[in-house]
């Protein structure tokens, strides 16, 4: 499984991993995004804020995996059934928003792991084919068996939690220490609002928010965990990667489409 999970491989090596963000439905869009650049390691499938159904999630997970890009599902919140649905679809990992406490983090880890580590129910029929190892131009196909999935899933799936609330920030060191949590992922816009320093422009942050982001990064480093962050541009993504962040988004479908259309029609005036 780890051989097919680009995000996991990158995190294990400690190198930056760049991702795209999909909020709009459609597997044609998924394939366009995933094939737009060779250094897209993961695609975030946004069930929290995106216009995506459970059916859409399953189809997008399959399309991204077929393109050799790790599908990561952001569930609406850390409920057991939501995590189970995402992982059973074959997602290579999950991102869980709006947690507040250490107990929240422990529950997320427990819901994400198969027994005896956790209490995730086992059903691999849809999941195994999202970890196929195959040369992109054909050749032999190596697909996991259900037994192999069960043996490898606990160590091969990426479990990320979003640090975006005041409570999570106050408890960040304890959250980072929870076994089974791999990534502390920063949502700067929500974090800024929740600590009283909203972002007025993507390029401008109050010093208190800058300090909060750095404290999360340091807590992750001390616990031997990876740090992720949402970025609106490739330039921002490069800056955070250079600062040692590991899981960095570089573009969202709705942002990119709007930007490219705006540039084209301004040029056409």
């Amino acid at each position: 499984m780890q051989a097919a999970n680009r995000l996991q491989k990158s995190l294990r090596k400690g190198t930056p991993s760049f991702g795209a963000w999909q909020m709009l439905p459609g597997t044609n869009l998924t394939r366009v995004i995933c094939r737009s650049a060779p250094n897209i390691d993961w695609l975030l499938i946004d069930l929290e804020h995106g216009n995506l159904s459970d059916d859409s999630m399953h189809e997008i997970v399959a399309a991204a995996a077929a393109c050799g890009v790790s599908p990561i599902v952001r569930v609406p919140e850390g409920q057991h059934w939501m995590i189970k649905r995402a992982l059973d679809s074959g997602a290579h990992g999950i991102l869980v928003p709006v947690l507040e406490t250490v107990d929240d983090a422990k529950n997320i880890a427990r819901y994400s792991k198969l027994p005896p580590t956790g209490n995730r129910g086992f059903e691999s029929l849809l999941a195994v084919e999202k970890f196929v190892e195959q040369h992109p131009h054909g050749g032999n196909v190596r697909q996991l068996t259900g037994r192999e999935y069960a043996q490898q899933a606990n160590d091969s799936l990426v479990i990320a939690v979003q640090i975006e609330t005041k409570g999570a920030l106050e408890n960040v060191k304890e959250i980072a220490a929870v076994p089974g949590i791999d990534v502390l992922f920063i949502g700067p816009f929500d974090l800024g609002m929740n600590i009283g320093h909203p972002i007025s422009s993507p390029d401008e942050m109050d010093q208190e928010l800058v300090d909060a982001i750095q404290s999360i990064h340091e807590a992750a480093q001390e616990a031997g965990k990876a740090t992720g962050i949402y970025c609106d541009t490739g330039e921002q993504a490069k800056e955070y990667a250079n600062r040692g962040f590991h899981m960095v988004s570089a573009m969202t479908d709705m942002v990119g489409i709007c930007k490219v259309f705006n540039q084209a029609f301004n040029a056409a005036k």
Side-chain angles (χ1 to χ4, degrees), residues 76-220:
E77 59 180 73
Q79 293 188 34
H80 194 171
W81 73 270
M82 294 179 182
I83 291 172
K84 178 167 59 176
R85 290 296 292 168
L87 294 178
D88 282 359
S89 76
H92 291 190
I94 55 169
L95 174 60
V96 182
V98 295
L99 78 160
E100 294 273 356
T101 67
V102 177
D103 284 341
D104 290 339
K106 289 179 179 178
N107 284 336
I108 291 164
R110 186 168 70 251
Y111 301 158
S112 304
K113 305 295 183 181
L114 295 168
T117 306
N119 62 358
R120 176 188 167 196
F122 177 64
E123 176 49 74
S124 65
L125 291 176
L126 288 171
V128 289
E129 59 105 9
K130 312 312 188 302
F131 294 89
V132 170
E133 297 174 40
Q134 181 182 20
H135 191 279
H137 301 297
N140 294 329
V141 175
R142 171 70 175 94
Q143 183 167 314
L144 289 176
T145 65
R147 181 178 181 180
E148 288 172 325
Y149 182 91
Q151 291 171 335
Q152 300 175 34
N154 283 355
D155 294 325
S156 299
L157 302 176
V158 176
I159 310 303
V161 295
Q162 204 155 331
I163 307 298
E164 57 181 351
T165 67
K166 187 175 181 180
L169 180 63
E170 291 172 348
N171 296 309
V172 67
K173 289 187 177 181
E174 292 80 7
I175 290 171
V178 172
I181 301 299
D182 302 305
V183 183
L184 302 186
F185 194 95
I186 300 163
F189 290 94
D190 277 313
L191 180 61
M193 285 192 290
N194 279 306
I195 65 173
H197 299 282
I199 297 175
S200 56
S201 165
D203 297 319
E204 296 179 10
M205 294 185 187
D206 290 347
Q207 188 59 45
E208 289 83 355
L209 178 55
V210 173
D211 293 342
I213 290 172
Q214 182 60 28
S215 70
I216 296 166
H217 183 45
E218 290 173 357

Side-chain angles (χ1 to χ4, degrees), residues 19-23 42 44 46 49 74 95 162-164 184-190 199 202 205 213 227-233 236-237 240 245 247-256:
W21 208 275
Q22 184 168 349
M23 301 180 70
W42 50 274
L44 194 289
D46 192 352
H49 293 306
R74 177 159 75 169
L95 174 60
Q162 204 155 331
I163 307 298
E164 57 181 351
L184 302 186
F185 194 95
I186 300 163
F189 290 94
D190 277 313
I199 297 175
M205 294 185 187
I213 290 172
T227 316
I229 191 165
Y230 175 88
C231 296
D232 266 332
T233 68
Q236 290 177 357
Y240 279 104
F245 284 63
M247 182 183 175
V248 187
S249 70
M251 183 53 63
T252 299
D253 55 359
M254 292 186 68
V255 174

Side-chain angles (χ1 to χ4, degrees), residues 2-16:
Q2 290 182 11
N5 192 333
R6 285 179 63 170
L7 174 58
Q8 176 73 296
K9 285 194 294 184
S10 182
L11 295 179
R12 296 263 170 155
K13 291 189 291 186
T15 56

